[in-house]
Amino acid sequence: MVVPHHPAGARLARRRLAEELTDVVPPPLLVDLVAVLAELVGNAVRHADPLPGGVVRVAWRLRAALGGQQVQLRVTDGGAAAGPTMRVADTDAADGRGLHIVSGLADRWGVERDGLGQSVWAEFDPTEITRSDLAVAG
């Protein structure tokens, strides 16, 4: 899907992802997917240029795997001078934690660049117990 390079783009992407995957993945995984997608789109809007047309491209892919669905989220933007990096945020800082959230919830994440921009992706492997379950139990 394509969303505007605007803070509202994250809301549109979250809503569409939740609508399409509600009956496909376990609810705790869906919560993680929605949180990570919001971070990735938010980062694209705050830190990167838009794609032509003032947009950000958002995609997800499901693949059958032992134990459930493997899910990959991908957000493509026009890129920035500096690529995404994890920062150390002060406890009272208003931002700087987005990629820590992505790293904590996803099994893997990374960045791919080409001549048109960059894609930031995050992958989630199926497991019996998701990270959200562990956070509630812990």
Side-chain angles (χ1 to χ4, degrees), residues 7-29:
R11 180 175 38 83
L12 295 170
R14 284 192 321 258
R15 183 177 297 147
R16 176 88 175 269
L17 177 75
E19 288 171 358
E20 289 195 13
L21 299 185
T22 292
D23 295 327
V24 179
V25 300
L29 175 58

Side-chain angles (χ1 to χ4, degrees), residues 14 17 30-40 101-102 105:
R14 284 192 321 258
L17 177 75
L30 185 59
V31 169
D32 290 352
L33 293 169
V34 168
V36 168
L37 187 64
E39 289 297 333
L40 295 180
I101 292 169
V102 171
L105 295 176

